[in-house]
Amino acid sequence: MRSQLLRKGGLFLALSVLFATLLPAPSQALSNFKVAPSTIWGHTYAGKAVGNPTTTAPKVFNLEAKSKFVVNYKNFPDWAKKDFQSAVDIWAANFASAAPVTIDASWGRAPSWGVLGSARPGNYYSGFDGAPDQSLWYPSALANALAGKDLDSNNPDMVIQINSLANWNTRNDGTPSATEYDLPSVFLHEMAHGLGFLSTDSYDSFFGYGTIEQPTPYAAYAQLPDGRRLSDLPSPSIELGKALTSKLVWSGQFGNAANGGEKIILYTPARYEDGSSVSHIDEETYKDLGANSIMTPNLDAGEVFREPGSLLLAMIEDLRRKPPVGVAVGIPLPVRNGTALIADSSAIITFDPPANARTAQVTSYSVRNLTTNQVKSSTESPLTFTGLKNGTSYSFSIVASNTNGTSDAVITAPMVPQAGWKRFVIDQNSDGRRISSTNFNGKPLVAYTDSKSGVLKLASWDGKIWRKATVDGAGGSGDRTRFKITSPVSLCVNGSGTKQLLHIFYSESDDRDLRYATYDGKKFTHEIVDGNGPQVNDYKDPVRVRTGSDVSISNACVATAGGVQVFYRDESQGILLGATKLKGATKWSYELVDGDRKTDGRTMGDVGFHLKALFDGKKTYVVYDSVLTINQKKQPTSGEIRVASRATLSGSSWSYYNIDTSGGAVPMTGFDVSIAKTLTGVQASWLTSVPTSPTTPSKIRWSPLQTTALQNSVTTELYGAPGKFLNTDGSHIAFNCQQRLCVLDSVRAVPTIKLVTSEQNPDGISSAWVTVDRVRYLIAGVKGQLSMFRFQ
């Protein structure tokens, strides 16, 4: 599959976690900045015909440096590329950045007939070096410009969509008729949205609630007439909803100076308009100001812009500076959900801001160790107290302060620090981003990827040391890929004794095909299973063949004496596929396993973001998640954990059932899954949420695989919310806890949790179980090294 394919399921992938939050930039592990997905678009709407097209020469607005824009065109006709390039050249002369600005531009039918073009940033970043205000969220291109480097080179800095059905001037002469729309003008406008001239608010038209989850500098400069900043209003709230449909002005020094000293009025019609309200300047006030009308919400037929205009450039310059502080109203309320999390000789204090944090303009938080009286202050959660004694109980008090005073204190429940597990390094040169394990030829074996080099490696225990070999990856030759291996890795083995064959499935970063390697203990073979077909195999096609889809999201395999099966998500179609190669066969047979159908026991859900497979000697089991609904922020809000099983490799119908579904007590189930064979059968584990936080996992569940599931569950309050990556051996479940690694002993009468390591990784820590010389170890990438951990 080539990366320019449009993917139906890609809207989930923008999260980070899809499930546990957000897709972090690979470089994030090296810094402390945060990443949030961009889901709000800014639109250009088609206006009326004006009849007097006017052009002006482009000019440079007093910026010291130029920048480079790189455009990835999707389905663009050649004439439209020329128009886009003319707009790119203008912005390159007016927007200063040491980092290149990458744009994914798509040409296709718009969801609304009146929209000429739409744009959004790639992501939003907070807390990076160079951010003028550490509490605000900066769009990709602006964040890169301020940081002086590309914070995420694997994703675009802005995404632009153009309506192919609009009546465009296709002549590249810059003179549209009175009934034609000028494409370069739309590009200039939409690129401004992508650079940060965009509010991230949303509005519930039924209840009148307004929401701003991650306040941006744009929202901090948007001001009510009484001086309160839009970014500081409670969210969600009726108060914010009213502000979004009332008068708002710009408080930036440069923008208002360019407006003759008057505050610029933003576009806030009484009836909220998605993609238009707040993210433009007022239509009636600024529609006849020549170049300075470029950021009004509508582009009239025949209307032409050939420069950003002094108002827009001045407002962009404001976004590079720290906005003036807001007006503090009252004193802060107490912080919410204050918790002291268990760590090794330390405690991690987490809390949510007070309910009135924005209106109160909280300036700092103070946390006091009630045992030692030590005090630490910060502008955000979490804070870490080190130098504590393992086995000793501690509690902490938390207060919030602003210019008017201090909140009441919140006292955390007692916590007792505990030692982590003993660590041994397997490979000091690989960070083990993705890990899988098995037994091969009677010895433990680990497959793991390294995010720095992009290679997939094997480590096999020979009785004395771990011997390493490279399977595939960046810089490869012959049948190996030259791209980085970035996907989950699945392993399965068939054969007997010391004559086994290892099957390895994985994907790479660019073509996003499903790759396959075998290893007989001496040499590797490589091939592509799927994703490199001539076109996308539609989910309605009864006969399955190789597809051109993105098949890199997830995979799981099963090997038996009869052959090998692999299961994987089709990201373009949102379905679960399977491929089988029988013993002695030279070709793969393809099938659709589940998704997009409410017959034969299948689901209509978007399936297979996470999946695991296992053969118990009689049946093949595939456990996977299915997302049923998402919210306005493109987060999953309801789903299922499903099981598909069959007794043969092919020619047999699948049986389906759910082992968990969303409901009142569990609004969302999924986030990650795992499976293992036990003495009594097959056991699955997965994550669920609670009504107070439906889009974030908070509970671990596990159950034997049977139609009447006997579910067990546990919460992880003193260790932090559970998150990817989930991994069970049937008795112990390894999971991420506050970006660390913890283990749940699920076979005890009262399940217990142990901290494995206090090292945090915002990308998540993948893990796998192995037994070495009759001792059980957990393998994980910690401190940039593949390591093994033994319980103390």
Side-chain angles (χ1 to χ4, degrees):
M1 202 273 322
R2 301 300 170 252
S3 58
Q4 59 263 39
L5 272 172
L6 291 174
R7 297 169 292 146
K8 167 188 155 186
L11 53 87
F12 293 106
L13 199 53
L15 303 184
S16 333
V17 123
L18 164 71
F19 302 114
T21 54
L22 314 178
L23 261 251
S27 57
Q28 186 183 358
L30 304 178
S31 303
N32 293 321
F33 64 80
K34 302 174 185 176
V35 185
S38 174
T39 61
I40 304 299
W41 296 79
H43 302 314
T44 302
Y45 280 95
K48 61 182 184 302
V50 295
N52 293 313
T54 304
T55 62
T56 56
K59 69 177 182 180
V60 177
F61 179 77
N62 194 30
L63 290 178
E64 297 179 359
K66 294 183 179 182
S67 55
K68 180 181 180 181
F69 284 72
V70 180
V71 184
N72 174 28
Y73 292 105
K74 301 179 181 180
N75 304 319
F76 262 68
D78 288 339
W79 71 265
K81 290 181 182 180
K82 293 180 181 178
D83 277 355
F84 202 154
Q85 190 59 50
S86 66
V88 164
D89 293 342
I90 293 170
W91 267 118
N94 285 278
F95 183 76
S97 178
V101 179
T102 56
I103 304 174
D104 274 4
S106 300
W107 181 268
R109 184 172 182 172
S112 172
W113 68 269
V115 173
L116 296 175
S118 306
R120 64 167 174 81
N123 283 313
Y124 285 91
Y125 298 86
S126 176
F128 57 89
D129 292 340
D133 189 321
Q134 297 288 310
S135 69
L136 297 176
W137 294 79
Y138 291 80
S140 295
L142 183 58
N144 292 342
L146 294 167
K149 61 182 179 181
D150 195 338
L151 299 176
D152 180 5
S153 59
N154 290 333
N155 289 296
D157 298 315
M158 69 176 77
V159 180
I160 295 178
Q161 297 178 349
I162 298 299
N163 187 356
S164 60
L165 300 183
N167 187 32
W168 299 112
N169 169 25
T170 63
R171 298 181 298 277
N172 297 127
D173 59 5
T175 56
S177 71
T179 61
E180 294 175 327
Y181 293 97
D182 184 64
L183 192 54
S185 299
V186 173
F187 288 139
L188 284 174
H189 179 112
E190 294 305 324
M191 289 171 70
H193 286 317
L195 292 172
F197 196 99
L198 181 69
S199 176
T200 57
D201 61 78
S202 60
Y203 182 79
D204 187 318
S205 58
F206 185 81
F207 293 104
Y209 278 86
T211 302
I212 298 179
E213 291 294 337
Q214 282 89 26
T216 64
Y218 188 94
Y221 278 113
Q223 190 180 78
L224 280 73
D226 63 7
R228 287 179 296 161
R229 307 189 307 180
L230 189 66
S231 61
D232 299 334
L233 298 183
S235 174
S237 69
I238 294 290
E239 182 181 3
L240 178 55
K242 290 180 178 178
L244 297 176
T245 53
S246 304
K247 183 177 180 180
L248 292 173
V249 296
W250 188 258
S251 65
Q253 171 188 354
F254 291 93
N256 293 331
N259 195 40
E262 297 290 328
K263 290 186 175 181
I264 299 168
I265 302 172
L266 301 180
Y267 180 65
T268 54
R271 184 175 181 178
Y272 184 89
E273 298 175 5
D274 284 330
S276 194
S277 288
V278 188
S279 296
H280 296 87
I281 58 177
D282 187 60
E283 177 77 29
E284 288 302 313
T285 307
Y286 303 104
K287 64 180 180 181
D288 296 321
L289 295 184
N292 282 334
S293 301
I294 190 170
M295 292 314 293
T296 56
N298 303 322
L299 179 75
D300 293 334
E303 190 173 18
V304 173
F305 298 101
R306 290 296 178 267
E307 61 174 295
S310 59
L311 281 187
L312 171 56
L313 290 173
M315 294 171 80
I316 293 289
E317 186 65 22
D318 281 329
L319 297 177
R320 292 176 176 265
R321 313 301 174 98
K322 184 174 182 176
V325 297
V327 178
V329 178
I331 63 173
L333 293 172
V335 301
R336 297 169 293 172
N337 303 318
T339 307
L341 302 180
I342 293 171
D344 191 346
S345 302
S346 57
I348 301 173
I349 315 303
T350 66
F351 52 87
D352 293 327
N356 68 338
R358 293 183 178 177
T359 53
Q361 286 287 286
V362 173
T363 55
S364 67
Y365 299 94
S366 293
V367 180
R368 182 183 298 275
N369 183 330
L370 298 180
T371 301
T372 66
N373 216 31
Q374 181 187 11
V375 177
K376 286 194 171 186
S377 296
S378 176
T379 57
E380 62 182 353
S381 169
L383 291 90
T384 300
F385 282 75
T386 58
L388 307 183
K389 294 181 180 180
N390 288 335
T392 299
S393 179
Y394 297 88
S395 292
F396 301 82
S397 67
I398 312 168
V399 297
S401 300
N402 70 357
T403 54
N404 296 328
T406 301
S407 71
D408 292 336
V410 169
I411 309 300
T412 68
M415 59 77 66
V416 179
Q418 65 180 232
W421 293 12
K422 189 172 182 179
R423 173 174 172 254
F424 307 87
V425 175
I426 297 176
D427 190 338
Q428 63 180 358
N429 298 315
S430 293
D431 59 9
R433 181 70 182 92
R434 296 281 191 168
I435 300 176
S436 185
S437 67
T438 190
N439 280 334
F440 176 63
N441 287 339
K443 301 289 185 180
L445 178 144
V446 180
Y448 56 101
T449 64
D450 177 55
S451 63
K452 294 173 288 186
S453 64
V455 300
L456 171 62
K457 301 175 73 174
L458 292 182
S460 55
W461 180 252
D462 69 357
K464 294 183 179 180
I465 62 172
W466 289 97
R467 296 194 177 276
K468 293 98 174 177
T470 298
V471 180
D472 203 349
S477 58
D479 293 332
R480 286 175 51 186
T481 179
R482 67 182 186 277
F483 302 124
K484 289 186 175 183
I485 307 301
T486 57
S487 75
V489 179
S490 59
L491 303 176
C492 46
V493 175
N494 55 8
S496 60
T498 58
K499 300 293 184 180
Q500 292 185 318
L501 185 65
L502 175 67
H503 307 269
I504 313 167
F505 294 90
Y506 53 94
S507 297
E508 33 61 51
S509 58
D510 287 50
D511 286 344
R512 300 179 183 178
D513 300 328
L514 179 64
R515 299 184 66 86
Y516 169 51
T518 64
Y519 180 58
D520 62 4
K522 296 180 180 179
K523 67 179 186 298
F524 294 97
T525 66
H526 303 85
E527 65 174 291
I528 297 175
V529 177
D530 206 354
N532 63 339
Q535 62 186 21
V536 172
N537 191 178
D538 192 270
Y539 71 91
K540 297 178 182 177
D541 293 339
V543 179
R544 308 303 301 181
V545 295
R546 281 182 183 258
T547 181
S549 297
D550 175 355
V551 289
S552 68
I553 304 305
S554 58
N555 64 77
C557 69
V558 166
T560 67
V564 60
Q565 305 172 83
V566 61
F567 309 100
Y568 48 98
R569 173 176 165 79
D570 180 332
E571 178 75 349
S572 304
Q573 303 287 323
I575 53 181
L576 178 61
L577 299 180
T580 301
K581 181 182 280 189
L582 299 177
K583 183 178 180 180
T586 58
K587 294 184 178 180
W588 293 90
S589 298
Y590 301 93
E591 61 180 318
L592 194 162
V593 179
D594 201 1
D596 281 329
R597 182 177 173 184
K598 198 69 174 177
T599 59
D600 303 327
R602 280 165 47 186
T603 179
M604 285 294 293
D606 200 344
V607 298
F609 291 99
H610 308 91
L611 67 112
K612 296 290 189 299
L614 182 146
F615 181 71
D616 70 350
K618 295 181 179 179
K619 283 186 175 182
T620 293
Y621 293 90
V622 186
V623 178
Y624 51 98
D625 51 7
S626 171
V627 174
L628 301 177
T629 59
I630 60 172
N631 62 14
Q632 190 177 29
K633 294 169 61 182
K634 308 300 186 288
Q635 296 170 311
T637 54
S638 71
E640 308 162 324
I641 300 296
R642 293 178 58 78
V643 179
S645 63
R646 68 180 177 189
T648 63
L649 284 147
S650 61
S652 177
S653 298
W654 287 98
S655 295
Y656 305 91
Y657 63 92
N658 292 335
I659 55 174
D660 199 11
T661 58
S662 302
V666 179
M668 176 61 199
T669 184
F671 306 101
D672 204 355
V673 299
S674 189
I675 186 175
K677 188 176 179 181
T678 69
L679 294 176
T680 58
V682 178
Q683 179 175 288
S685 56
W686 63 98
L687 301 174
T688 66
S689 65
V690 294
T692 54
S693 184
T695 60
T696 303
S698 57
K699 248 182 207 183
I700 302 174
R701 284 191 174 185
W702 65 97
S703 171
L705 293 188
Q706 54 191 52
T707 53
T708 304
L710 302 173
Q711 292 183 1
N712 302 274
S713 66
V714 69
T715 55
T716 61
E717 290 93 341
L718 293 180
Y719 293 86
K724 64 175 186 180
F725 299 89
L726 204 65
N727 167 42
T728 183
D729 65 356
S731 59
H732 295 81
I733 302 171
F735 63 96
N736 281 210
C737 50
Q738 193 67 22
Q739 302 177 341
R740 306 169 300 163
L741 194 60
C742 289
V743 165
L744 167 68
D745 185 342
S746 62
V747 297
R748 288 176 176 261
V750 179
T752 59
I753 298 174
K754 294 292 184 181
L755 176 70
V756 177
T757 176
S758 288
E759 298 298 325
Q760 292 181 293
N761 187 337
D763 289 344
I765 303 174
S766 180
S767 65
W769 293 99
V770 297
T771 299
V772 178
D773 298 335
R774 299 183 181 180
V775 178
R776 200 69 169 147
Y777 292 89
L778 187 64
I779 307 292
V782 173
K783 295 184 178 179
Q785 300 172 325
L786 184 70
S787 306
M788 54 193 293
F789 294 86
R790 185 177 68 197
F791 175 67
Q792 295 279 51

